[in-house]
């Protein structure tokens, strides 16, 4: 899955007098409308209108909005948008032709006086048609103080096909949205130097449905981190829960998605995991494990059960067919001897080695810099979120500490682009003009420098490279 790309808005250029109200996110403070999902060859183009008011972020804060397409088993993160609180000014201070609200607190449409048109593309996959659209909203108050919300904006996405497309889609170069194409590189070649702990937490159906489920998972994670983390800072938590049939597949799937969101939100609010990148996936009915257990069992009608599972899709009545087989005897066996063995939580915990300060990410004179790797520094930086100023400061530091690292220089150049430092970005990125990993960032650079023809070349090269 591709990393999300960060978009920093020039908010005052994007004011709207009366944006249309649609689906909402972030406690109703963000409106999403005019959604369009269009397949263009191998790409899915996603467009919608976003409107918001002055109260989404205070001065010194940022709000990162990340759209995510997902179904029960797969998800695709789209380009993120960063709203700067410093750019949100009271209406009374606006000059020129900007609309001025009436006295008193603005309500309804008048409150959503900032807006922009979102437009991005991702590689298309068949599962995206009918997937749900979620908005992850992360408010960063600085010094690691972050709050994250997740909202279901659309329950089912309808993808249309652009039948007029006869060649590669034209690259849209929009002055206010070009930073959506900025990319940061994960130092994959050094990822093995991050300490990783994996394991499985056995569960029962009763434990999964317990009101203490989130806290019990958290306590298990922290217990493992304490015993096997070696005192290193926890920088990433990846969880995958597995469930079993509980009567109604669609209800089970919906509950699984809700449980996934609740658990992730809970982890982001706990002291031990708040600074870590948290991802939670959930498989509501783990039929692969069920098949494995049945094959190794001595249950009656074993082959008939396996035939039904293989020949009947879940959505086409697999469970109903199993219930009617041999007057329900095989299904009764599954309920009492198989299903409960399937419930579990698989976890992967990543720890950064303590070469960088685990609180600020800064390298101090007491640290042995010869032992510091760029992967360590990047892992600490990601704990603050890619939309934060601390992340960008650490990217700039990476280029100074690792001047011969392509990843360090390209990422520092990307951070410079987001902050509007075109000259610094040019110095950092142009030495990598032939490196495919820098194509998107070079396209953004030349757009900001007014060289649209050269920007178009790099954007086309980036798309061609992505489709290979």
């Amino acid at each position: 899955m591709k990393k999300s790309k960060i978009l920093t808005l020039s908010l005052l250029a994007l004011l709207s007098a009366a944006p249309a109200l649609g689906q909402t996110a972030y406690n109703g403070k963000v409106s999403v409308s005019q959604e369009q999902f269009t397949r263009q060859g191998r790409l899915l183009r996603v467009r919608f209108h976003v409107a918001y008011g002055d109260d989404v972020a205070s001065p010194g804060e940022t709000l990162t909005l990340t759209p995510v397409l997902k179904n029960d088993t797969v998800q695709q993160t789209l380009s993120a948008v960063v709203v700067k609180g410093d750019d949100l000014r009271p209406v009374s201070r606006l000059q020129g032709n900007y609309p001025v609200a009436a006295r008193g607190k603005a309500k309804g449409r008048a409150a959503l006086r900032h807006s922009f048109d979102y437009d991005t593309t991702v590689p298309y996959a068949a599962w995206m048609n009918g997937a749900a659209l979620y908005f992850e909203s992360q408010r960063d108050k600085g010094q690691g103080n972050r709050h994250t919300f997740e909202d279901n904006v659309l329950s089912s996405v309808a993808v249309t096909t652009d039948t007029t497309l006869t060649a590669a889609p034209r690259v849209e170069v929009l002055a206010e949205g070009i930073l959506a194409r900025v990319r940061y590189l994960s130092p994959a070649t050094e990822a093995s130097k991050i300490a990783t702990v994996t394991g499985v937490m056995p569960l029962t159906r009763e434990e999964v449905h317990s009101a203490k489920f989130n806290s019990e998972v958290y306590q298990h994670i922290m217990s493992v981190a304490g015993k096997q983390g070696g005192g290193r800072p926890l920088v990433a938590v990846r969880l995958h829960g597995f469930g079993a049939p509980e009567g109604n597949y669609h209800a089970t799937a919906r509950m699984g998605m809700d449980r996934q969101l609740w658990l992730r939100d809970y982890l982001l609010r706990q002291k031990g995991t708040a600074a870590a990148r948290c991802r939670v996936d959930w498989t509501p009915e783990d039929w692969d494990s069920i098949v494995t257990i049945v094959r190794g069992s001595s249950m009656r009608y074993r082959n008939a059960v396996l035939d039904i599972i293989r020949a009947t899709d879940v959505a086409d009545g697999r469970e109903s067919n199993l219930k009617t087989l041999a007057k329900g005897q095989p299904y009764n066996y599954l309920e009492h001897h198989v299903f409960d063995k399937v419930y579990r939580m698989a976890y992967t915990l990543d720890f950064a080695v303590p070469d960088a300060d685990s609180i600020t990410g800064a390298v101090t004179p007491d640290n042995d810099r010869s032992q510091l790797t760029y992967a360590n520094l990047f892992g600490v930086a990601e704990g603050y979120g890619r939309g934060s100023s601390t992340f960008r400061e650490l990217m700039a530091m990476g280029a100074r500490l690792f001047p011969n690292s392509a990843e360090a220089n390209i990422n520092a150049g990307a951070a410079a682009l987001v902050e509007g430092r075109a000259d610094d970005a040019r110095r950092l990125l142009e030495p990598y003009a032939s490196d495919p990993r820098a194509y998107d960032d070079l396209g953004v650079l030349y757009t900001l420098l007014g060289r649209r023809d050269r920007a178009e070349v790099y954007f086309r090269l980036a798309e061609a490279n992505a489709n290979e």
Side-chain angles (χ1 to χ4, degrees):
M1 183 178 295
K2 294 191 175 184
K3 298 288 185 181
S4 65
K5 298 171 280 187
I6 302 300
L7 168 64
T8 303
L9 301 174
S10 299
L11 294 176
L12 295 179
L14 300 174
L15 295 175
S16 175
L21 296 174
Q23 305 293 330
T24 61
Y26 190 48
N27 285 339
K29 297 179 181 180
V30 177
S31 172
V32 183
S33 61
Q34 303 173 29
E35 304 91 348
Q36 297 182 57
F37 302 86
T38 310
R39 181 179 179 182
Q40 298 180 330
R42 297 181 180 180
L43 299 176
L44 176 68
R45 185 177 182 183
V46 180
R47 290 171 286 181
F48 43 77
H49 185 76
V50 179
Y52 49 94
D54 293 329
D55 57 349
V56 296
S58 300
E61 300 179 354
T62 60
L63 176 67
T64 303
L65 302 171
T66 307
V68 182
L69 289 172
K70 64 171 69 175
N71 61 16
D72 296 338
T73 58
V74 189
Q75 69 178 34
Q76 170 70 60
T77 302
L78 306 181
S79 301
V81 177
V82 176
V83 176
K84 290 183 176 180
D86 291 337
D87 291 335
L88 299 171
R89 305 177 183 177
V91 174
S92 60
R93 297 181 184 177
L94 294 179
Q95 304 296 325
N97 296 323
Y98 296 125
V100 178
R103 291 179 178 268
K105 186 176 180 180
K107 298 181 179 180
R109 294 179 183 270
L112 305 178
R113 64 188 194 86
H114 305 281
S115 68
F116 63 91
D117 291 319
Y118 183 93
D119 191 341
T120 192
T121 57
V122 292
Y124 177 76
W127 65 266
M128 295 177 178
N129 190 20
L133 175 66
Y134 282 79
F135 253 54
E136 295 181 359
S137 310
Q138 183 179 89
R139 189 167 183 172
D140 189 345
K141 299 183 178 181
Q143 300 181 343
N145 186 2
R146 305 194 307 272
H147 298 281
T148 302
F149 301 82
E150 189 162 21
D151 300 279
N152 185 191
V153 177
L154 289 175
S155 59
S156 181
V157 164
V159 176
T160 60
T161 301
D162 188 348
T163 57
T164 64
L165 190 64
T166 57
R170 190 178 77 83
V171 177
E172 296 294 336
V173 182
L174 305 176
E176 70 275 14
I178 192 61
L179 291 180
R181 301 200 64 141
V182 170
R183 294 187 61 197
Y184 292 109
L185 305 177
S186 296
T189 56
E190 301 180 72
S192 60
K193 297 179 182 179
I194 295 291
T196 299
V197 175
T198 61
V200 176
M201 174 185 179
L203 297 168
T204 64
R205 185 177 186 275
E206 289 72 25
E207 288 172 334
V208 169
H209 287 273
S210 168
K212 298 181 179 180
F213 173 69
N214 290 342
S215 63
E216 289 177 351
V217 172
Y218 172 73
Q219 293 299 330
H220 187 90
I221 290 172
M222 298 314 298
S223 175
V224 173
K227 294 177 181 177
Q228 302 183 46
R232 301 181 176 107
L234 181 63
V235 296
V237 177
R238 298 188 297 278
L239 304 177
H240 194 142
F242 296 86
E246 296 181 4
N248 184 311
Y249 171 74
H250 296 291
T252 302
R254 285 194 299 271
M255 179 55 69
M257 183 171 291
D258 289 341
R259 188 175 290 116
Q260 167 185 336
L261 300 179
W262 294 334
L263 177 56
R264 181 176 180 274
D265 183 66
Y266 182 87
L267 294 176
L268 290 171
R269 289 185 283 108
Q270 304 310 305
K271 181 178 179 180
T273 49
R277 288 173 286 121
C278 296
R279 173 174 175 174
V280 180
D281 295 305
W282 193 271
T283 299
E285 296 184 359
D286 184 14
W287 286 98
D288 290 340
S289 295
I290 293 171
V291 167
T292 300
I293 296 172
V294 170
R295 281 177 177 165
S297 73
S298 57
M299 68 175 293
R300 296 181 62 187
Y301 307 104
R302 180 182 61 185
N303 291 336
V305 168
L306 293 173
D307 287 341
I308 290 175
I309 294 175
R310 182 173 56 251
T312 311
D313 190 81
V314 173
D316 294 334
R318 175 186 295 172
E319 198 171 352
S320 297
N321 290 349
L322 289 172
K323 289 179 178 180
T324 58
L325 175 65
K327 298 182 179 180
Q329 295 179 38
Y331 189 83
N332 184 66
Y333 179 92
L334 293 175
E335 282 191 304
H336 291 88
H337 301 283
V338 176
F339 289 168
D340 226 26
K341 297 178 181 179
V342 171
Y343 290 97
R344 66 196 188 280
M345 180 68 70
Y347 57 83
T348 301
L349 310 180
D350 289 341
F351 301 88
V353 297
D355 296 323
D357 188 285
S358 62
I359 298 177
T360 65
V363 179
T364 67
D366 296 331
N367 294 135
D368 183 357
R369 296 192 184 188
S370 66
Q371 299 300 314
L372 177 68
T373 69
Y374 184 63
N376 303 151
L377 183 65
F378 189 88
V380 172
E382 283 215 304
Y384 291 93
R386 295 193 177 193
S388 68
S389 59
T390 303
F391 177 87
R392 295 192 295 274
E393 290 170 3
L394 290 174
M395 292 301 96
M397 177 189 292
R400 296 193 297 269
L401 294 177
F402 303 93
N404 297 321
S405 167
E407 292 95 343
N409 282 284
I410 292 172
N411 284 344
L417 288 173
V418 171
E419 294 181 343
R421 296 183 286 110
D423 290 340
D424 289 339
R426 187 172 189 174
R427 172 178 56 81
L428 291 160
L429 293 172
E430 284 194 335
Y432 302 94
S434 60
D435 190 326
R437 296 173 297 177
Y439 286 164
D440 270 310
D441 293 338
L442 285 163
V444 174
L445 170 64
Y446 289 121
T447 299
L448 297 180
L449 293 175
R451 302 176 63 179
R452 296 295 183 92
D453 55 342
R454 193 161 187 178
E456 187 81 6
V457 170
Y458 274 107
F459 284 139
R460 289 197 181 280
L461 288 172
E463 290 186 356
N465 184 68
N467 290 330
E468 289 180 354

